[in-house]
Amino acid sequence: MSDGAVGGGSGRALGGGLLVAGTTSDAGKSVVTAGICRWLVRQGVKVAPFKAQNMSLNSFVTREGAEIGRAQAMQAAAARVEPTALMNPVLLKPGSDRSSQVVLLGKPVGELSARGYHAGRQEQLLGTVTDCLQELRRTHDAVICEGAGSPAEINLRRTDIVNMGIARAARIPVVVVGDIDRGGVFASFFGTTALLSKEDQALVAGYLVNKFRGDVTLLEPGLEMLRGLTGRQTLGVLPFAHGLGIDEEDGLRVSLRGAVRESTVAPPHGAEVLRVAVCAVPLMSNFTDVDALAAEPGVVVRFVDRAEELTDADLVVLPGTRGTVRALAWLRERGLADAIARRAAEGRPVLGICGGYQMLGERIEDDVESKAGVVDGLGLLPVRVRFAVEKTLARPAGEALGEPVEGYEIHHGVAEVTGGDEVFMSDGSGQALDGCRAGSVWGTHWHGSLESDGFRRAFLRRVAADAGRAFVPAPDTRFGVLREEQLDRLGDLIEEHADTDALLRLIEEGVPTALPFIPPGAP
């Protein structure tokens, strides 16, 4: 690689890089980046992921207490490295259609409108993100960067720091991913390239087709024509694979649900299934919390937005949200609040996580997030919540239902528990750490706690008993193992269906010379 130094125990030179861009949002940039990271680390390469700027409500807390996108945490797991704030220096967390909280190097620094961010603040951050990328390149053999949206968003190019802006600043080659399942992939590849300036086009080294179904030989004539038109080769055709949308940035997909539902070897362990309904509240955050439930054989998870959809649910989950007061109003407008209250009165299980926990309480005092002042909660838990200016970012561990449990906290709300039937998250000696239970209603601020296998099984046994279901959790489901298997599947896709020799040359040797210009270029 570029600087001739050797490190990481791989025998390779330090500092190589690659940017994975996309023709559109959701083209598959996150999973392709993770797949390349897993393929490289299996080759003995010390690799790190990087995304200069991420807009997502799904975030994670690193060991040092920094908040980053969950997709980058997943990619770090694919690379078998500990995630750090360097891997996602800028995180934007939408609070409305027009504004976002800006998280810089893992800490919130304020709210900005989209216009205010793109009008100046974004450009100011280019030095910060290039410094982070440089540090990762200094300490790793390779850094695989992920773009955002499309590099051909010509209205935003002047202030871009995540696509061609970072690629040009760092002089790294770009591979563009296109989702052929949507159709129009050839036009997307050509149009994306042709809308870039001459200087940006010089960095676009090739294309990757994603989510292909069928006979690849039928696609090959088009790939040859694309090469003739652009002078760039297609570096792989990745087949459509179910159940690979792990740790999505946004949307209403459950990462592991597809894989579990399609499994022919994992029927319910007990006599009955357990139905889980997740309320799809506005600005829903960290919906990946229910992935571990969906990974359990016999647990059926679905997102709902109507009161009647709670009727046959054995467990209702209120997930996290970036707008607790707004989500609470939404529950009331749709009749979901009344339906949840009826469930609680009947002794049927409800679980609130983070913002969902706060909504279940008696009162919310919010002069920070919504600035709505004092708002009545659902009144199902003896909890009063006050929003603090400083955000809590932590990686707690303890015990719950007699089992070890770990999680992570991302919230402004501070909960005062005034009663309850049982200590929920404790330090192991009975001292309460977080959350509470009242009847069949549970609440906790701890995201990710259901990934602790023993605790998840104990909780599901309680839910099944309260719901009157003959459901028994499988004794051997290990969420961490399932996640590793998925990451290996991503690595397999790259190894088996991409031109890995060409990818490695790009990472090691940098931008190819004499790539042709495709008119008209940027307007």
Side-chain angles (χ1 to χ4, degrees):
M1 295 183 189
S2 58
D3 66 1
V6 175
S10 67
R12 300 184 187 277
L14 286 172
L18 182 72
L19 175 71
V20 178
T23 57
T24 62
S25 295
D26 201 33
K29 298 183 293 291
S30 294
V31 294
V32 168
T33 300
I36 294 174
C37 285
R38 177 50 58 102
W39 162 66
L40 284 171
V41 78
R42 293 195 308 208
Q43 310 309 307
V45 177
K46 184 179 180 183
V47 58
F50 176 80
K51 186 164 185 173
Q53 172 195 294
N54 195 352
M55 178 174 281
S56 178
L57 289 171
N58 281 341
S59 57
F60 182 75
V61 179
T62 67
R63 292 289 180 193
E64 69 268 29
E67 185 179 8
I68 65 171
R70 273 202 68 99
Q72 280 60 66
M74 175 269 290
Q75 291 160 358
R80 295 179 180 145
V81 294
E82 188 68 31
T84 73
L86 292 174
M87 297 172 184
N88 180 205
V90 181
L91 173 64
L92 305 178
K93 303 193 72 175
S96 71
D97 293 339
R98 294 178 177 271
S99 68
S100 295
Q101 183 181 67
V102 180
V103 179
L104 180 61
L105 294 174
K107 303 298 180 184
V109 293
E111 297 273 341
L112 275 180
S113 68
R115 179 177 293 276
Y117 183 66
H118 290 288
R121 178 62 167 160
Q122 189 176 30
E123 274 186 297
Q124 297 168 10
L125 295 173
L126 181 59
T128 298
V129 301
T130 53
D131 286 347
C132 291
L133 177 55
Q134 183 177 354
E135 177 62 17
L136 287 174
R137 295 179 76 180
R138 187 184 69 80
T139 54
H140 293 78
D141 300 343
V143 179
I144 308 303
C145 308
E146 179 189 344
S150 164
E153 291 168 351
I154 53 180
N155 57 315
L156 302 177
R157 176 60 185 92
R158 182 181 63 81
T159 58
D160 170 48
I161 63 171
V162 66
N163 290 306
M164 304 312 298
I166 190 69
R168 198 193 292 190
R171 291 298 303 170
I172 54 176
V174 177
V175 173
V176 181
V177 177
D179 179 359
I180 197 170
D181 198 48
R182 295 183 175 189
V185 74
F186 294 117
S188 297
F189 283 143
F190 183 86
T192 296
T193 308
L195 278 175
L196 301 178
S197 68
K198 184 176 182 179
E199 294 79 8
D200 286 350
Q201 282 192 29
L203 302 176
V204 177
Y207 310 111
L208 263 175
V209 175
N210 193 29
K211 303 180 187 177
F212 180 72
R213 307 171 191 251
D215 185 348
V216 176
T217 61
L218 298 177
L219 194 65
E220 288 172 352
L223 301 180
E224 283 302 313
M225 286 186 274
L226 181 67
R227 183 168 187 173
L229 288 166
T230 67
R232 293 155 174 87
Q233 69 179 102
T234 298
L235 303 173
V237 177
L238 308 182
F240 190 98
H242 292 282
L244 290 182
I246 55 180
D247 288 5
E248 300 282 356
E249 291 185 351
D250 283 300
L252 289 182
R253 280 182 294 278
V254 182
S255 305
L256 289 170
R257 180 174 61 182
V260 171
R261 281 185 170 179
E262 292 152 15
S263 174
T264 58
V265 295
H269 192 71
E272 293 183 293
V273 300
L274 200 71
R275 294 174 175 84
V276 179
V278 185
C279 294
V281 298
L283 299 174
M284 182 168 54
S285 62
N286 290 74
F287 60 83
T288 47
D289 282 334
V290 298
D291 286 0
L293 294 179
E296 284 285 349
V299 175
V300 179
V301 178
R302 67 182 188 274
F303 289 95
V304 304
D305 60 6
R306 296 181 299 179
E308 56 268 29
E309 294 178 292
L310 304 187
T311 304
D312 67 344
D314 301 306
L315 170 67
V316 169
V317 177
L318 287 180
T321 172
R322 173 82 164 85
T324 302
V325 171
R326 176 179 168 183
L328 190 54
W330 180 87
L331 291 175
R332 288 178 167 134
E333 290 165 3
R334 289 179 168 262
L336 286 159
D338 289 339
I340 291 168
R342 287 194 297 271
R343 287 184 62 88
E346 295 165 0
R348 302 173 66 195
V350 177
L351 171 65
I353 302 173
C354 199
Y357 170 39
Q358 295 165 7
M359 287 186 276
L360 290 170
E362 299 168 346
R363 188 183 73 184
I364 298 171
E365 183 182 341
D366 181 10
D367 294 318
V368 176
E369 189 175 77
S370 69
K371 298 180 173 59
V374 177
V375 177
D376 288 337
L378 297 178
L380 302 179
L381 287 176
V383 176
R384 296 178 180 180
V385 176
R386 178 185 56 81
F387 273 64
V389 173
E390 186 174 349
K391 180 185 284 191
T392 296
L393 297 170
R395 288 278 293 271
E399 181 181 290
L401 303 182
E403 298 286 347
V405 60
E406 296 181 359
Y408 57 99
E409 295 184 71
I410 306 170
H411 55 92
H412 285 279
V414 179
E416 178 191 0
V417 179
T418 61
D421 299 328
E422 180 177 359
V423 171
F424 197 3
M425 305 296 179
S426 75
D427 64 359
S429 63
Q431 183 67 37
L433 294 178
D434 180 77
C436 71
R437 177 182 72 86
S440 60
V441 181
W442 306 74
T444 177
H445 273 127
W446 291 16
H447 293 292
S449 58
L450 292 166
E451 296 179 17
S452 298
D453 298 327
F455 163 67
R456 182 181 64 254
R457 286 192 280 268
F459 178 69
L460 289 176
R461 283 192 290 269
R462 294 282 289 268
V463 168
D466 286 347
R469 290 285 184 191
F471 169 83
V472 179
D476 54 355
T477 301
R478 293 188 293 167
F479 184 78
V481 171
L482 291 174
R483 171 153 296 192
E484 273 295 300
E485 289 174 354
Q486 275 197 309
L487 294 173
D488 275 331
R489 287 179 65 198
L490 295 180
D492 292 343
L493 280 177
I494 298 299
E495 186 170 344
E496 296 168 10
H497 300 283
D499 186 342
T500 52
D501 288 340
L503 287 174
L504 199 57
R505 279 195 301 273
L506 290 175
I507 294 168
E508 292 183 324
E509 299 172 11
V511 181
T513 58
L515 289 169
F517 171 68
I518 311 301

